[in-house]
Amino acid sequence: MSSPTLNALVHTMRYEADGIVSVEFRPATPAVDFPAFEAGSHIDLHLPNGLVRSYSLCNPASDRQRYVVGVLNDRKSRGGSRYVHQQLRVGMTLPISAPRNNFALEEDARRSVLVAGGIGVTPIWCMLQRLASLGRPVELVYCARSRKEAAFVEAIEALAREKAIELSWHCDDEKGAPPDLAKLLAGRGDDSHYYCCGPTPMLDAFERGCEQLGYANVHIERFAAVQVEAPAATQSCVVACAKSKREVEVPAGKSILDSLIDAGLDPDHSCKEGVCGACETAVIEGEVDHHDGILTKAERAANKTMMICVSRCKGARLVLDI
């Protein structure tokens, strides 16, 4: 089933950079508390136009009565960010999910290296504030196309000065090229933890760079699921639901999630795009064809869970813990 939602009031909207606004939500009913959250968490906005979109929380994790997200007015928007920028207004209320965390922060790491790419700064900024509040060793590498398109700059620079945090900038328009992440991250140590959120090409370069440097403690968060290749949707399969004691045929071109819903089952779900994690399901038997934007390469290889909204079966049958 879809996760229960919270009724949230749009309390504040603020210009943060070219094409980026922050939106602060507070409980629509003042006597109701928002659930606590950890750095790296995101919430789903159930927008009035029928879309559900996930956005990372960027305010301090110590906050209890507000959630703040940053939203880029994406040129390739399919309606979510465009709605936020053009139609969402202070005073409106809308359902939001409780926070979920697919990008957890290792707070006890010897050192943390945070890498932000454009609007990917939102969870990174939350992590930076958390580690600074704990007095943990941390540095930030902030990459953007230009400074005018970089959000939270003044606040980040103020915190870096106050806490003596190492802050590195790479603006494409100033450097004349995208960042060489392997070069930027060299010499940081293989016992540090490395985090990156940004556009897909940057995340791919980050993973390659960390692998090249021998860094094992690597964490990423993607904006979108991995592109599904056409062959993935050409085969049907059968999904056996261990808890429900049901077998459901999933036809070619249809997701496991939609097939289960049509069969009368009610699995938890939200975004239907493989990025929110709500539909993550344990795999008991069978090999998965992963297309989500959450699991790491190691987690995919382990074949223990899958996002049933976008991932499929490589063979003819899957047994899931549903």
mmCIF file of all heavy atoms in Angstrom, residues 10-49:
data_model
loop_
_atom_site.group_PDB
_atom_site.id
_atom_site.type_symbol
_atom_site.label_atom_id
_atom_site.label_comp_id
_atom_site.label_asym_id
_atom_site.label_seq_id
_atom_site.Cartn_x
_atom_site.Cartn_y
_atom_site.Cartn_z
ATOM 1 N N VAL A 10 2.850 24.764 3.262
ATOM 2 C CA VAL A 10 3.962 25.483 2.639
ATOM 3 C C VAL A 10 4.144 26.781 3.420
ATOM 4 O O VAL A 10 3.380 27.733 3.259
ATOM 5 C CB VAL A 10 3.690 25.766 1.152
ATOM 6 C CG1 VAL A 10 4.882 26.504 0.527
ATOM 7 C CG2 VAL A 10 3.425 24.471 0.399
ATOM 8 N N HIS A 11 5.164 26.817 4.260
ATOM 9 C CA HIS A 11 5.367 27.952 5.168
ATOM 10 C C HIS A 11 6.190 29.068 4.526
ATOM 11 O O HIS A 11 5.899 30.246 4.680
ATOM 12 C CB HIS A 11 6.058 27.465 6.444
ATOM 13 C CG HIS A 11 6.281 28.530 7.468
ATOM 14 N ND1 HIS A 11 7.418 29.323 7.504
ATOM 15 C CD2 HIS A 11 5.501 28.951 8.501
ATOM 16 C CE1 HIS A 11 7.335 30.166 8.505
ATOM 17 N NE2 HIS A 11 6.180 29.962 9.128
ATOM 18 N N THR A 12 7.249 28.681 3.791
ATOM 19 C CA THR A 12 8.159 29.652 3.199
ATOM 20 C C THR A 12 8.683 29.129 1.872
ATOM 21 O O THR A 12 8.975 27.942 1.753
ATOM 22 C CB THR A 12 9.367 29.919 4.127
ATOM 23 O OG1 THR A 12 8.912 30.244 5.439
ATOM 24 C CG2 THR A 12 10.244 31.060 3.604
ATOM 25 N N MET A 13 8.804 30.008 0.895
ATOM 26 C CA MET A 13 9.505 29.697 -0.348
ATOM 27 C C MET A 13 10.555 30.785 -0.556
ATOM 28 O O MET A 13 10.262 31.966 -0.416
ATOM 29 C CB MET A 13 8.550 29.623 -1.539
ATOM 30 C CG MET A 13 7.523 28.504 -1.425
ATOM 31 S SD MET A 13 6.471 28.315 -2.912
ATOM 32 C CE MET A 13 7.648 27.630 -4.084
ATOM 33 N N ARG A 14 11.765 30.359 -0.883
ATOM 34 C CA ARG A 14 12.876 31.314 -0.945
ATOM 35 C C ARG A 14 13.742 31.052 -2.178
ATOM 36 O O ARG A 14 14.065 29.902 -2.489
ATOM 37 C CB ARG A 14 13.718 31.191 0.326
ATOM 38 C CG ARG A 14 14.999 32.007 0.313
ATOM 39 C CD ARG A 14 15.722 31.890 1.623
ATOM 40 N NE ARG A 14 17.085 32.397 1.509
ATOM 41 C CZ ARG A 14 17.884 32.632 2.540
ATOM 42 N NH1 ARG A 14 17.462 32.410 3.771
ATOM 43 N NH2 ARG A 14 19.107 33.071 2.354
ATOM 44 N N TYR A 15 14.112 32.126 -2.844
ATOM 45 C CA TYR A 15 15.048 32.038 -3.960
ATOM 46 C C TYR A 15 16.431 31.705 -3.402
ATOM 47 O O TYR A 15 16.938 32.386 -2.509
ATOM 48 C CB TYR A 15 15.082 33.379 -4.700
ATOM 49 C CG TYR A 15 16.172 33.508 -5.741
ATOM 50 C CD1 TYR A 15 15.963 33.083 -7.053
ATOM 51 C CD2 TYR A 15 17.410 34.060 -5.424
ATOM 52 C CE1 TYR A 15 16.955 33.207 -8.009
ATOM 53 C CE2 TYR A 15 18.410 34.188 -6.375
ATOM 54 C CZ TYR A 15 18.180 33.760 -7.667
ATOM 55 O OH TYR A 15 19.168 33.879 -8.605
ATOM 56 N N GLU A 16 17.063 30.649 -3.930
ATOM 57 C CA GLU A 16 18.370 30.223 -3.431
ATOM 58 C C GLU A 16 19.479 30.396 -4.468
ATOM 59 O O GLU A 16 20.641 30.565 -4.112
ATOM 60 C CB GLU A 16 18.324 28.754 -2.988
ATOM 61 C CG GLU A 16 17.354 28.462 -1.851
ATOM 62 C CD GLU A 16 17.777 29.066 -0.511
ATOM 63 O OE1 GLU A 16 18.884 29.620 -0.429
ATOM 64 O OE2 GLU A 16 16.981 28.987 0.443
ATOM 65 N N ALA A 17 19.136 30.323 -5.744
ATOM 66 C CA ALA A 17 20.097 30.477 -6.838
ATOM 67 C C ALA A 17 19.297 30.524 -8.124
ATOM 68 O O ALA A 17 18.071 30.310 -8.115
ATOM 69 C CB ALA A 17 21.093 29.309 -6.865
ATOM 70 N N ASP A 18 19.957 30.789 -9.240
ATOM 71 C CA ASP A 18 19.243 30.806 -10.515
ATOM 72 C C ASP A 18 18.561 29.466 -10.743
ATOM 73 O O ASP A 18 19.214 28.415 -10.804
ATOM 74 C CB ASP A 18 20.221 31.076 -11.669
ATOM 75 C CG ASP A 18 20.568 32.547 -11.804
ATOM 76 O OD1 ASP A 18 20.111 33.347 -10.954
ATOM 77 O OD2 ASP A 18 21.292 32.902 -12.755
ATOM 78 N N GLY A 19 17.241 29.490 -10.836
ATOM 79 C CA GLY A 19 16.485 28.274 -11.112
ATOM 80 C C GLY A 19 16.239 27.381 -9.910
ATOM 81 O O GLY A 19 15.712 26.287 -10.060
ATOM 82 N N ILE A 20 16.604 27.826 -8.710
ATOM 83 C CA ILE A 20 16.454 26.983 -7.512
ATOM 84 C C ILE A 20 15.693 27.740 -6.422
ATOM 85 O O ILE A 20 16.037 28.875 -6.088
ATOM 86 C CB ILE A 20 17.816 26.540 -6.948
ATOM 87 C CG1 ILE A 20 18.579 25.696 -7.982
ATOM 88 C CG2 ILE A 20 17.638 25.737 -5.657
ATOM 89 C CD1 ILE A 20 19.987 25.329 -7.563
ATOM 90 N N VAL A 21 14.667 27.104 -5.894
ATOM 91 C CA VAL A 21 13.966 27.638 -4.734
ATOM 92 C C VAL A 21 14.019 26.601 -3.614
ATOM 93 O O VAL A 21 14.089 25.396 -3.872
ATOM 94 C CB VAL A 21 12.487 27.985 -5.029
ATOM 95 C CG1 VAL A 21 12.386 29.103 -6.056
ATOM 96 C CG2 VAL A 21 11.699 26.755 -5.462
ATOM 97 N N SER A 22 14.013 27.089 -2.382
ATOM 98 C CA SER A 22 13.817 26.191 -1.252
ATOM 99 C C SER A 22 12.376 26.326 -0.787
ATOM 100 O O SER A 22 11.776 27.403 -0.887
ATOM 101 C CB SER A 22 14.782 26.509 -0.111
ATOM 102 O OG SER A 22 14.556 27.809 0.409
ATOM 103 N N VAL A 23 11.825 25.224 -0.307
ATOM 104 C CA VAL A 23 10.453 25.212 0.193
ATOM 105 C C VAL A 23 10.486 24.653 1.614
ATOM 106 O O VAL A 23 10.993 23.554 1.840
ATOM 107 C CB VAL A 23 9.534 24.325 -0.685
ATOM 108 C CG1 VAL A 23 8.097 24.413 -0.194
ATOM 109 C CG2 VAL A 23 9.628 24.729 -2.150
ATOM 110 N N GLU A 24 9.980 25.440 2.545
ATOM 111 C CA GLU A 24 9.916 24.991 3.941
ATOM 112 C C GLU A 24 8.496 24.564 4.263
ATOM 113 O O GLU A 24 7.541 25.315 4.068
ATOM 114 C CB GLU A 24 10.332 26.109 4.895
ATOM 115 C CG GLU A 24 10.223 25.705 6.366
ATOM 116 C CD GLU A 24 10.662 26.810 7.326
ATOM 117 O OE1 GLU A 24 11.555 27.599 6.957
ATOM 118 O OE2 GLU A 24 10.109 26.855 8.449
ATOM 119 N N PHE A 25 8.379 23.335 4.735
ATOM 120 C CA PHE A 25 7.099 22.785 5.160
ATOM 121 C C PHE A 25 7.037 22.718 6.675
ATOM 122 O O PHE A 25 8.028 22.401 7.339
ATOM 123 C CB PHE A 25 6.904 21.369 4.595
ATOM 124 C CG PHE A 25 6.827 21.303 3.106
ATOM 125 C CD1 PHE A 25 7.950 20.975 2.343
ATOM 126 C CD2 PHE A 25 5.635 21.564 2.443
ATOM 127 C CE1 PHE A 25 7.880 20.907 0.968
ATOM 128 C CE2 PHE A 25 5.557 21.501 1.066
ATOM 129 C CZ PHE A 25 6.683 21.175 0.322
ATOM 130 N N ARG A 26 5.855 23.005 7.197
ATOM 131 C CA ARG A 26 5.581 22.823 8.622
ATOM 132 C C ARG A 26 4.277 22.056 8.764
ATOM 133 O O ARG A 26 3.464 22.038 7.824
ATOM 134 C CB ARG A 26 5.512 24.172 9.334
ATOM 135 C CG ARG A 26 6.845 24.907 9.335
ATOM 136 C CD ARG A 26 6.860 26.087 10.273
ATOM 137 N NE ARG A 26 8.131 26.808 10.214
ATOM 138 C CZ ARG A 26 8.420 27.873 10.946
ATOM 139 N NH1 ARG A 26 7.526 28.351 11.803
ATOM 140 N NH2 ARG A 26 9.587 28.470 10.825
ATOM 141 N N PRO A 27 4.056 21.414 9.910
ATOM 142 C CA PRO A 27 2.807 20.666 10.065
ATOM 143 C C PRO A 27 1.595 21.572 9.859
ATOM 144 O O PRO A 27 1.538 22.684 10.404
ATOM 145 C CB PRO A 27 2.885 20.146 11.508
ATOM 146 C CG PRO A 27 4.344 20.109 11.819
ATOM 147 C CD PRO A 27 4.930 21.280 11.088
ATOM 148 N N ALA A 28 0.631 21.115 9.069
ATOM 149 C CA ALA A 28 -0.580 21.899 8.841
ATOM 150 C C ALA A 28 -1.377 22.043 10.126
ATOM 151 O O ALA A 28 -2.090 23.030 10.314
ATOM 152 C CB ALA A 28 -1.421 21.250 7.749
ATOM 153 N N THR A 29 -1.248 21.058 10.993
ATOM 154 C CA THR A 29 -1.847 21.127 12.328
ATOM 155 C C THR A 29 -0.722 21.350 13.326
ATOM 156 O O THR A 29 0.095 20.448 13.547
ATOM 157 C CB THR A 29 -2.592 19.821 12.669
ATOM 158 O OG1 THR A 29 -3.561 19.561 11.648
ATOM 159 C CG2 THR A 29 -3.275 19.930 14.018
ATOM 160 N N PRO A 30 -0.618 22.531 13.923
ATOM 161 C CA PRO A 30 0.529 22.865 14.782
ATOM 162 C C PRO A 30 0.781 21.871 15.909
ATOM 163 O O PRO A 30 1.912 21.687 16.340
ATOM 164 C CB PRO A 30 0.161 24.248 15.333
ATOM 165 C CG PRO A 30 -0.760 24.826 14.303
ATOM 166 C CD PRO A 30 -1.543 23.679 13.771
ATOM 167 N N ALA A 31 -0.263 21.223 16.419
ATOM 168 C CA ALA A 31 -0.092 20.292 17.537
ATOM 169 C C ALA A 31 0.561 18.986 17.097
ATOM 170 O O ALA A 31 0.975 18.181 17.929
ATOM 171 C CB ALA A 31 -1.445 20.000 18.180
ATOM 172 N N VAL A 32 0.671 18.765 15.786
ATOM 173 C CA VAL A 32 1.246 17.524 15.263
ATOM 174 C C VAL A 32 2.725 17.736 14.961
ATOM 175 O O VAL A 32 3.118 18.722 14.362
ATOM 176 C CB VAL A 32 0.507 17.096 13.973
ATOM 177 C CG1 VAL A 32 1.175 15.877 13.355
ATOM 178 C CG2 VAL A 32 -0.959 16.828 14.273
ATOM 179 N N ASP A 33 3.548 16.800 15.404
ATOM 180 C CA ASP A 33 4.985 16.875 15.134
ATOM 181 C C ASP A 33 5.320 16.111 13.856
ATOM 182 O O ASP A 33 4.762 15.046 13.597
ATOM 183 C CB ASP A 33 5.796 16.263 16.286
ATOM 184 C CG ASP A 33 5.763 17.118 17.534
ATOM 185 O OD1 ASP A 33 5.506 18.324 17.413
ATOM 186 O OD2 ASP A 33 5.986 16.567 18.630
ATOM 187 N N PHE A 34 6.252 16.646 13.084
ATOM 188 C CA PHE A 34 6.825 15.876 11.987
ATOM 189 C C PHE A 34 7.728 14.788 12.569
ATOM 190 O O PHE A 34 8.388 15.008 13.596
ATOM 191 C CB PHE A 34 7.670 16.766 11.081
ATOM 192 C CG PHE A 34 6.905 17.544 10.052
ATOM 193 C CD1 PHE A 34 7.441 18.705 9.511
ATOM 194 C CD2 PHE A 34 5.657 17.124 9.598
ATOM 195 C CE1 PHE A 34 6.764 19.423 8.541
ATOM 196 C CE2 PHE A 34 4.965 17.836 8.626
ATOM 197 C CZ PHE A 34 5.519 18.994 8.105
ATOM 198 N N PRO A 35 7.818 13.631 11.932
ATOM 199 C CA PRO A 35 8.765 12.608 12.388
ATOM 200 C C PRO A 35 10.207 13.112 12.284
ATOM 201 O O PRO A 35 10.538 13.900 11.394
ATOM 202 C CB PRO A 35 8.516 11.447 11.420
ATOM 203 C CG PRO A 35 7.152 11.675 10.868
ATOM 204 C CD PRO A 35 6.978 13.160 10.811
ATOM 205 N N ALA A 36 11.045 12.646 13.185
ATOM 206 C CA ALA A 36 12.473 12.987 13.139
ATOM 207 C C ALA A 36 13.091 12.395 11.880
ATOM 208 O O ALA A 36 12.567 11.437 11.310
ATOM 209 C CB ALA A 36 13.171 12.444 14.378
ATOM 210 N N PHE A 37 14.213 12.955 11.447
ATOM 211 C CA PHE A 37 14.892 12.437 10.262
ATOM 212 C C PHE A 37 16.391 12.475 10.457
ATOM 213 O O PHE A 37 16.904 13.144 11.363
ATOM 214 C CB PHE A 37 14.489 13.220 9.006
ATOM 215 C CG PHE A 37 15.004 14.636 8.941
ATOM 216 C CD1 PHE A 37 16.175 14.948 8.264
ATOM 217 C CD2 PHE A 37 14.309 15.670 9.544
ATOM 218 C CE1 PHE A 37 16.645 16.244 8.187
ATOM 219 C CE2 PHE A 37 14.768 16.975 9.487
ATOM 220 C CZ PHE A 37 15.942 17.264 8.802
ATOM 221 N N GLU A 38 17.097 11.736 9.605
ATOM 222 C CA GLU A 38 18.552 11.691 9.628
ATOM 223 C C GLU A 38 19.095 12.356 8.378
ATOM 224 O O GLU A 38 18.424 12.420 7.343
ATOM 225 C CB GLU A 38 19.033 10.234 9.683
ATOM 226 C CG GLU A 38 18.580 9.477 10.918
ATOM 227 C CD GLU A 38 18.947 8.002 10.834
ATOM 228 O OE1 GLU A 38 19.213 7.518 9.716
ATOM 229 O OE2 GLU A 38 18.966 7.347 11.888
ATOM 230 N N ALA A 39 20.322 12.846 8.466
ATOM 231 C CA ALA A 39 20.964 13.456 7.301
ATOM 232 C C ALA A 39 20.991 12.466 6.144
ATOM 233 O O ALA A 39 21.301 11.287 6.329
ATOM 234 C CB ALA A 39 22.383 13.893 7.648
ATOM 235 N N GLY A 40 20.667 12.945 4.946
ATOM 236 C CA GLY A 40 20.596 12.101 3.759
ATOM 237 C C GLY A 40 19.185 11.679 3.401
ATOM 238 O O GLY A 40 18.967 11.077 2.350
ATOM 239 N N SER A 41 18.211 12.012 4.266
ATOM 240 C CA SER A 41 16.825 11.591 4.037
ATOM 241 C C SER A 41 16.150 12.430 2.959
ATOM 242 O O SER A 41 16.568 13.544 2.642
ATOM 243 C CB SER A 41 16.016 11.707 5.329
ATOM 244 O OG SER A 41 16.505 10.850 6.334
ATOM 245 N N HIS A 42 15.064 11.882 2.421
ATOM 246 C CA HIS A 42 14.234 12.617 1.475
ATOM 247 C C HIS A 42 12.772 12.428 1.831
ATOM 248 O O HIS A 42 12.411 11.542 2.605
ATOM 249 C CB HIS A 42 14.482 12.133 0.036
ATOM 250 C CG HIS A 42 14.002 10.740 -0.217
ATOM 251 N ND1 HIS A 42 14.800 9.628 -0.027
ATOM 252 C CD2 HIS A 42 12.791 10.260 -0.635
ATOM 253 C CE1 HIS A 42 14.114 8.542 -0.320
ATOM 254 N NE2 HIS A 42 12.893 8.888 -0.689
ATOM 255 N N ILE A 43 11.926 13.289 1.291
ATOM 256 C CA ILE A 43 10.480 13.147 1.431
ATOM 257 C C ILE A 43 9.848 13.153 0.041
ATOM 258 O O ILE A 43 10.439 13.648 -0.924
ATOM 259 C CB ILE A 43 9.855 14.269 2.292
ATOM 260 C CG1 ILE A 43 10.170 15.652 1.700
ATOM 261 C CG2 ILE A 43 10.322 14.164 3.734
ATOM 262 C CD1 ILE A 43 9.446 16.802 2.390
ATOM 263 N N ASP A 44 8.665 12.580 -0.064
ATOM 264 C CA ASP A 44 7.894 12.622 -1.303
ATOM 265 C C ASP A 44 6.835 13.714 -1.184
ATOM 266 O O ASP A 44 6.115 13.781 -0.177
ATOM 267 C CB ASP A 44 7.178 11.296 -1.558
ATOM 268 C CG ASP A 44 8.136 10.130 -1.701
ATOM 269 O OD1 ASP A 44 9.298 10.361 -2.080
ATOM 270 O OD2 ASP A 44 7.716 8.986 -1.425
ATOM 271 N N LEU A 45 6.747 14.561 -2.200
ATOM 272 C CA LEU A 45 5.680 15.547 -2.273
ATOM 273 C C LEU A 45 4.583 14.995 -3.174
ATOM 274 O O LEU A 45 4.841 14.621 -4.324
ATOM 275 C CB LEU A 45 6.188 16.866 -2.859
ATOM 276 C CG LEU A 45 7.417 17.515 -2.217
ATOM 277 C CD1 LEU A 45 7.643 18.897 -2.830
ATOM 278 C CD2 LEU A 45 7.288 17.596 -0.716
ATOM 279 N N HIS A 46 3.365 14.934 -2.662
ATOM 280 C CA HIS A 46 2.215 14.507 -3.452
ATOM 281 C C HIS A 46 1.568 15.779 -3.995
ATOM 282 O O HIS A 46 0.756 16.418 -3.326
ATOM 283 C CB HIS A 46 1.239 13.695 -2.594
ATOM 284 C CG HIS A 46 1.808 12.389 -2.116
ATOM 285 N ND1 HIS A 46 1.395 11.168 -2.622
ATOM 286 C CD2 HIS A 46 2.776 12.104 -1.201
ATOM 287 C CE1 HIS A 46 2.072 10.193 -2.033
ATOM 288 N NE2 HIS A 46 2.920 10.737 -1.163
ATOM 289 N N LEU A 47 1.964 16.138 -5.200
ATOM 290 C CA LEU A 47 1.586 17.429 -5.762
ATOM 291 C C LEU A 47 0.135 17.425 -6.255
ATOM 292 O O LEU A 47 -0.390 16.378 -6.669
ATOM 293 C CB LEU A 47 2.530 17.787 -6.908
ATOM 294 C CG LEU A 47 4.004 17.933 -6.496
ATOM 295 C CD1 LEU A 47 4.891 18.057 -7.724
ATOM 296 C CD2 LEU A 47 4.188 19.133 -5.575
ATOM 297 N N PRO A 48 -0.513 18.588 -6.236
ATOM 298 C CA PRO A 48 -1.916 18.671 -6.664
ATOM 299 C C PRO A 48 -2.154 18.271 -8.116
ATOM 300 O O PRO A 48 -3.283 17.969 -8.489
ATOM 301 C CB PRO A 48 -2.255 20.161 -6.446
ATOM 302 C CG PRO A 48 -1.340 20.599 -5.352
ATOM 303 C CD PRO A 48 -0.054 19.856 -5.593
ATOM 304 N N ASN A 49 -1.104 18.267 -8.944
ATOM 305 C CA ASN A 49 -1.290 17.845 -10.337
ATOM 306 C C ASN A 49 -1.215 16.330 -10.501
ATOM 307 O O ASN A 49 -1.183 15.818 -11.618
ATOM 308 C CB ASN A 49 -0.273 18.524 -11.253
ATOM 309 C CG ASN A 49 1.175 18.156 -10.920
ATOM 310 O OD1 ASN A 49 1.434 17.394 -9.988
ATOM 311 N ND2 ASN A 49 2.102 18.705 -11.670
#
